Amino acid sequence: MQIIVSPEIEQVCPDFVGASVEARVVNSPYSEPLWQEVERLAAQCRSSLTTETLKELPPIAATRRVYRACGKDPSRYRPASEQLIRRLLQGKQLYQIDTLVDLVNVASIAYGYSIGGFDADKFVGDTLTLGVGREGEPYEGIGRGMLNIAGLPVYRDAIGGVGTPTSDNERTKMTLQTTHLVVLVNGYDGNRQRVADNAAYLKQLVEQYACGHDCTIQFFC
């Protein structure tokens, strides 16, 4: 996939750096070792964070700043990483979906970045462009129904939005039948090394838990 960052995003976040992890995979309903990693991270979050200090983590704070700059209230449309960690801090369990979704959530919790995971065979065209959502733009968030993405950063393929830091789109979501994975790490804090570390961790998780092969990492900014 070619990934383009639009001038709209460059204007509100000139330091943005992203990474894509692409691989051939085998999904499964559940991975016990991976879920043990979820439990380890949950305990770590609960021992070091509160629902207030969570907002100060650089990857989350930067994403919230970009939301405001684009005209979106980050407390109404929380970035996915904040949603996940906040749920853990409230003493709730994460929803267990399948191995691909679960490993993307693990990587997001571990580094604090909002990460989009997609079935790449459902993309239309070979290019994704990161821009800003428009009023009235149709978008069905996974498990959320129609979502107002005006003012949210959004990746679009040839026919429309596929992912925002708040929710990915039903049209391109991963399922048990997914064999071609693309995962996008959104570094609105501009920390290239941390984004690179997150991408490397994702590659490791994909190879370890989803039989990942032909796995590549690409950076874009």
Side-chain angles (χ1 to χ4, degrees):
M1 293 299 300
Q2 179 184 12
I3 304 174
I4 298 169
V5 179
S6 73
E8 291 176 299
I9 294 295
E10 292 176 345
Q11 183 175 358
V12 296
C13 188
D15 296 328
F16 174 84
V17 58
S20 70
V21 180
E22 185 170 0
R24 295 291 173 176
V25 295
V26 178
N27 200 2
S28 60
Y30 177 73
S31 168
E32 176 62 29
L34 178 61
W35 203 251
Q36 291 173 1
E37 186 69 4
V38 172
E39 297 295 347
R40 183 189 69 79
L41 285 170
Q44 181 178 309
C45 288
R46 289 167 183 150
S47 69
S48 61
L49 293 169
T50 69
T51 54
E52 288 305 311
T53 60
L54 166 63
K55 300 174 188 176
E56 299 167 7
L57 289 177
I60 292 175
T63 306
R64 290 173 65 91
R65 284 196 299 272
V66 169
Y67 273 35
R68 291 192 191 93
C70 292
K72 208 67 166 177
D73 180 355
S75 293
R76 288 192 61 200
Y77 295 83
R78 297 183 193 277
S81 56
E82 183 181 350
Q83 295 175 41
L84 290 168
I85 301 172
R86 184 181 175 84
R87 183 173 179 85
L88 295 176
L89 296 178
Q90 291 172 334
K92 301 174 183 176
Q93 293 292 317
L94 292 188
Y95 295 109
Q96 194 278 313
I97 308 298
D98 59 47
T99 297
L100 289 180
V101 173
D102 295 343
L103 70 83
V104 167
N105 287 344
V106 164
S108 183
I109 292 166
Y111 284 84
Y113 292 114
S114 289
I115 299 174
F118 307 93
D119 185 326
D121 289 338
K122 297 177 180 177
F123 290 145
V124 178
D126 61 1
T127 302
L128 296 178
T129 301
L130 178 58
V132 179
R134 297 182 288 266
E135 288 292 343
E137 184 171 0
Y139 189 95
E140 185 178 0
I142 297 174
R144 301 173 68 111
M146 297 308 292
L147 187 66
N148 176 11
I149 64 167
L152 283 178
V154 57
Y155 289 97
R156 298 183 181 95
D157 65 5
I159 64 171
V162 300
T164 76
T166 288
S167 176
D168 292 331
N169 198 311
E170 282 279 354
R171 176 168 65 86
T172 50
K173 75 177 182 181
M174 302 175 293
T175 69
L176 288 174
Q177 288 70 48
T178 296
T179 60
H180 184 190
L181 175 70
V182 166
V183 184
L184 302 177
V185 182
N186 295 288
Y188 290 99
D189 62 348
N191 188 331
R192 186 180 179 89
Q193 184 58 59
R194 188 172 177 85
V195 169
D197 291 344
N198 200 170
Y201 182 50
L202 270 162
K203 182 175 182 290
Q204 174 191 326
L205 292 174
V206 168
E207 291 174 342
Q208 184 172 355
Y209 298 112
C211 302
H213 61 282
D214 297 334
C215 193
T216 60
I217 296 175
Q218 171 189 352
F219 296 94
F220 53 96
C221 57

